[in-house]
Amino acid sequence: MDSGVALLTIFILSIFVGFEVVSKVSTVLHTPLMSGANAIHGIVLVGAILVTGSADNPLTIALGLIAIVLATINLVGGFVVTDRMLEMFKAKKPAKPSSDEEAKK
Amino acid sequence: MTSLLASAEPTSTPVWAQLIDLFVAVCFVLALKGLSGPKTARNGNLLGAFGALVAVVVLFFSTPGMKNVPLILAAILIGLIVAFPIARRVKMTSMPQLVALFNGVGGGAAALVSIIEFLTAGESESKGILAATVFTVIVGSVSFTGSILTFLKLQEAITTRPIVIPGGQYITSLIGIGTLAAGVALVISPTNGLLAVLIVLSALLGILLVLPVGGADVPIIISLLNAFTGLSVAASGYVLGNVLLIVAGTLVGASGTLLTREMAKAMGRPLTNTMFGAFTATAVSAKVGGGEDRPVKSAGPEDVAIMLGYANKVIIVPGYGLAVAQAQHTIRELVDLLTAKGIEVDYAIHPVAGRMPGHMNVLLAEANVPYEQLKEMDEINPEFASTDVVMVVGANDVVNPAAKSDPSAPIYGMPILDVSDAQQVVFLKRSMRPGFAGIENELLFDPKTTLLFGDAKDTLTKVVSAVKNM
């Protein structure tokens, strides 16, 4: 298969996977899901490193370094802030079943 | 066909590294899957972070002859130093604008990647690559400037109301057509000058698209721009011939689009209204000022304590104002007191209470409010009719009957909490200032409404001690 066509195939199939994985999400999780997806596209850092790694004039190197800083902020900040949101959800999760169990006992 | 779709120079990535990229792509799919369920969400997010870490580390060992390595590592370190403390320390109330900001810089990075690749390989690229470059630059730049503007709106550095420029839709259409024309021209004759024009026009387009969006529509725009950034990352992956970027970007683009549609549906607004609604809603701003001098009924904390103390059923409607005042712990104390008196108390959570869908759930979870007391809108709406007192704390738009009765209101059509069905309504407000959407709330002037002015935390503390003394 031609490599361009292969990439196009991957692209189209990924669209369907993307639709499929997030169908039927409760409103409660909209914000963390958006934030988590936001973090995932920070993987553009890989692209930023690749272009900077092969750049050899001052302009492209400078632009590349800016891209790396921006992408790192997106990637790291995104995952950390999502984890903080989900931490809040977790806090009450153990409390709920344990109190239920106590009530039963 | 071959020349049209052929990717950039075949990547010299070794097979083992390509297999690791495949592993990372699977991590991302499972991360999104995990984030869709409450039990698996946290692990899903951690899995995504793990995958990203693996991908970046492997890159340094799998790329032969990588240049500028010390500079690259320094840039990553700077990004880490900037992002980590902000993400760690940001108040949960300011989270939406932070997500907007992170999204914007991601879009900017994707645009830059394609710009650099163009500057390096420029004229020799195939038309397919050039088209993908143009797409990345347009969508990435729109996402960058649009998100930064959204950030400023949510930060209230600029007005949260829709900003309507006279003839705005014509200007936006013109810039939009200009952007497309510059993009097509760039594919036909790739020159650096045209690229510069394209960057400027796209950046401008991002600003023009977000300016007229205001109020409760802002969260939907964040989600939409998030999907945009995903797509531009995917396109930059096509430019570089990198499979991981294509998969990750497309996953976010597709899931983000679906999520945006879900959010718009939760607010009863088709997406086109969100983006273009403000153009037609100019009449509203004129109406806003009028009602400020009309009489309202206000009361002290003791009166409210008595109303609550002798009720059989109370519903709390928390809003963003509650979170700003950091009053979520005080409200829980009050609810605990009332529950101890045998009063039935529930929280009514509007899907977009706060500044993002689900934002209020996060904030109340932080205050350890039991999950089962939080009732979603469809579940609680029939219960207002049998409720004695509804206490609205720092919310406004989500209980504004104008969403049902006034077709000219910008929030018209948004489902609301039917608090006016209850016997009595108490509003805890800082002032008569209208809500985030900037429109007057008729319910404030209703005879069954009592207003309790002041900082939500102060007044709630007073109400708590008054209830204790009863």
Side-chain angles (χ1 to χ4, degrees):
Chain A
M1 192 162 25
D2 178 83
S3 74
V5 178
L7 295 182
L8 197 63
T9 310
I10 292 167
F11 170 69
I12 302 287
L13 292 181
S14 300
I15 294 179
F16 284 95
V17 177
F19 277 143
E20 200 51 44
V21 286
V22 300
S23 54
K24 295 179 226 114
V25 190
S26 84
T27 348
V28 182
L29 282 169
H30 277 175
T31 297
L33 180 61
M34 188 212 291
S35 181
N38 179 30
I40 287 176
H41 65 50
I43 198 64
V44 71
L45 175 60
V46 165
I49 294 174
L50 280 175
V51 291
T52 314
S54 58
D56 39 22
N57 78 57
L59 174 68
T60 47
I61 292 175
L63 289 177
L65 294 175
I66 295 172
I68 292 176
V69 173
L70 295 182
T72 309
I73 293 175
N74 182 186
L75 188 70
V76 175
F79 281 120
V80 172
V81 87
T82 310
D83 189 58
R84 272 191 64 200
M85 288 178 208
L86 295 168
E87 209 168 76
M88 313 268 158
F89 282 95
K90 209 203 71 184
K92 89 225 155 208
K93 276 266 141 42
K96 189 178 139 195
S98 69
S99 63
D100 283 352
E101 278 163 29
E102 275 166 26
K104 274 177 205 161
K105 282 168 194 167
Chain B
M1 194 63 186
T2 314
S3 69
L4 183 71
L5 283 174
S7 67
E9 70 275 16
T11 35
S12 45
T13 317
V15 173
W16 65 268
Q18 291 184 26
L19 288 174
I20 288 181
D21 275 0
L22 174 63
F23 166 77
V24 174
V26 172
C27 284
F28 286 161
V29 173
L30 293 178
L32 282 174
K33 187 81 199 152
L35 280 164
S36 317
K39 289 203 185 75
T40 50
R42 198 163 182 210
N43 286 335
N45 184 56
L46 292 176
L47 185 64
F50 171 74
L53 181 70
V54 169
V56 172
V57 171
V58 162
L59 195 61
F60 285 98
F61 297 100
S62 65
T63 315
M66 186 189 277
K67 286 175 266 185
N68 311 315
V69 174
L71 285 173
I72 290 172
L73 291 175
I76 293 177
L77 191 65
I78 293 172
L80 270 171
I81 292 171
V82 174
F84 203 80
I86 303 179
R88 230 25 260 178
R89 283 198 216 118
V90 67
K91 284 200 203 122
M92 275 295 135
T93 42
S94 322
M95 205 181 52
Q97 51 264 53
L98 196 66
V99 174
L101 189 67
F102 288 157
N103 179 53
V105 296
L112 278 174
V113 167
S114 286
I115 291 169
I116 295 163
E117 186 63 21
F118 179 86
L119 291 176
T120 315
E123 293 82 21
S124 59
E125 300 279 29
S126 75
K127 296 294 178 212
I129 296 293
L130 285 172
T133 304
V134 166
F135 181 86
T136 317
V137 171
I138 295 178
V139 179
S141 307
V142 164
S143 185
F144 178 69
T145 53
S147 299
I148 300 293
L149 190 63
T150 312
F151 166 77
L152 292 173
K153 280 192 177 208
L154 286 167
Q155 195 72 22
E156 299 187 5
I158 57 174
T159 175
T160 56
R161 303 232 191 124
I163 299 170
V164 180
I165 312 168
Q169 66 267 55
Y170 304 111
I171 301 175
T172 308
S173 310
L174 271 178
I175 298 283
I177 293 166
T179 311
L180 283 179
V184 171
L186 189 69
V187 175
I188 296 167
S189 76
T191 64
N192 292 354
L194 271 172
L195 179 70
V197 173
L198 185 69
I199 295 169
V200 172
L201 285 178
S202 319
L204 208 58
L205 187 63
I207 295 173
L208 286 169
L209 282 175
V210 174
L211 266 185
V213 177
D217 288 337
V218 173
I220 302 181
I221 278 294
I222 300 181
S223 178
L224 186 70
L225 291 172
N226 185 37
F228 275 14
T229 304
L231 289 176
S232 67
V233 169
S236 76
Y238 190 78
V239 173
L240 297 178
N242 184 296
V243 174
L244 181 59
L245 292 192
I246 297 182
V247 174
T250 313
L251 281 176
V252 177
S255 60
T257 307
L258 198 70
L259 190 59
T260 309
R261 217 187 55 194
E262 287 293 307
M263 284 185 188
K265 209 161 64 184
M267 297 184 57
R269 292 168 73 66
L271 203 53
T272 44
N273 272 24
T274 303
M275 294 191 67
F276 306 109
F279 290 136
T280 50
T282 32
V284 181
S285 40
K287 257 169 75 178
V288 172
E292 309 248 331
D293 300 328
R294 286 156 62 191
V296 291
K297 189 167 74 182
S298 70
E302 295 78 16
D303 307 310
V304 173
I306 291 168
M307 282 167 67
L308 294 170
Y310 289 101
N312 290 316
K313 188 171 170 187
V314 173
I315 294 178
I316 312 277
V317 178
Y320 186 69
L322 172 100
V324 172
Q326 292 290 308
Q328 54 282 45
H329 296 277
T330 325
I331 192 93
R332 195 183 74 106
E333 203 186 334
L334 177 64
V335 171
D336 288 350
L337 272 175
L338 294 175
T339 315
K341 283 176 179 288
I343 301 165
E344 192 189 339
V345 190
D346 284 314
Y347 295 84
I349 312 291
H350 190 275
V352 293
R355 289 284 157 89
M356 267 184 163
H359 194 186
M360 196 48 63
N361 301 69
V362 176
L363 293 169
L364 288 174
E366 189 188 9
N368 291 320
V369 170
Y371 193 70
E372 56 270 35
Q373 282 184 359
L374 306 180
K375 297 280 171 67
E376 295 200 13
M377 182 170 61
D378 296 336
E379 195 184 342
I380 199 101
N381 262 347
E383 300 208 14
F384 282 110
S386 61
T387 300
D388 302 300
V389 183
V390 172
M391 189 157 86
V392 183
V393 188
N396 197 344
D397 298 330
V398 296
V399 297
N400 192 338
K404 282 188 169 166
S405 58
D406 180 3
S408 71
I411 58 168
Y412 183 71
M414 177 172 95
I416 56 161
L417 292 163
D418 298 321
V419 296
S420 53
D421 291 349
Q423 299 294 314
Q424 286 182 295
V425 183
V426 181
F427 270 91
L428 264 66
K429 282 179 74 64
R430 254 179 319 180
S431 67
M432 284 302 283
R433 239 181 92 223
F436 192 60
I439 40 170
E440 197 66 75
N441 191 343
E442 280 302 317
L443 193 59
L444 296 175
F445 308 100
D446 193 284
K448 70 168 96 170
T449 300
T450 309
L451 288 145
L452 178 53
F453 287 115
D455 173 77
K457 194 174 183 178
D458 278 0
T459 40
L460 276 172
T461 312
K462 286 179 193 151
V463 174
V464 166
S465 59
V467 170
K468 272 185 192 158
N469 293 332
M470 270 168 68

